[in-house]
Amino acid sequence: MLLNLLALHQSAQRTISTASRRQIENKVPEKQKLFQEDNGIPLHLKGGVAEALLFRATMTLTVGGIAYAVYQLAMASFPKKQD
């Protein structure tokens, strides 16, 4: 029991490192050039096909959610008549 407590105490004192061990290539400057380029393409389409599909899915879910919320509000506003 005491050994487990000491092990927990030691692991709690270790510092957590946020530095990655593997060096990853920084792609931010490339993306900045792509998105800041003035070529007449809307921002949500500059990322390619994946970005366009993500945008369309988001808009579909948003419109569907709004329609469902309005429907539920309408159903709550007009309660069923009791016979």
Side-chain angles (χ1 to χ4, degrees):
M1 174 75 174
L2 184 58
L3 291 176
N4 289 338
L5 186 59
L6 289 174
L8 177 64
H9 180 67
Q10 285 179 347
S11 65
Q13 286 182 340
R14 292 183 187 153
T15 59
I16 297 173
S17 174
T18 58
S20 67
R21 294 180 180 162
R22 194 174 50 171
Q23 293 296 326
I24 300 173
E25 181 185 352
N26 187 6
K27 296 181 182 179
V28 173
E30 296 171 14
K31 292 289 186 180
Q32 283 178 338
K33 286 180 187 175
L34 174 70
F35 283 99
Q36 290 177 354
E37 189 176 299
D38 187 20
N39 54 6
I41 298 174
L43 184 63
H44 65 276
L45 298 177
K46 285 188 178 184
V49 175
E51 293 287 331
L53 289 175
L54 184 62
F55 175 75
R56 288 182 182 144
T58 302
M59 293 312 297
T60 302
L61 288 171
T62 301
V63 170
I66 290 171
Y68 184 70
V70 169
Y71 171 77
Q72 288 298 325
L73 283 171
M75 289 298 108
S77 298
F78 302 108
K80 293 181 181 178
K81 294 181 181 178
Q82 295 185 3
D83 293 329

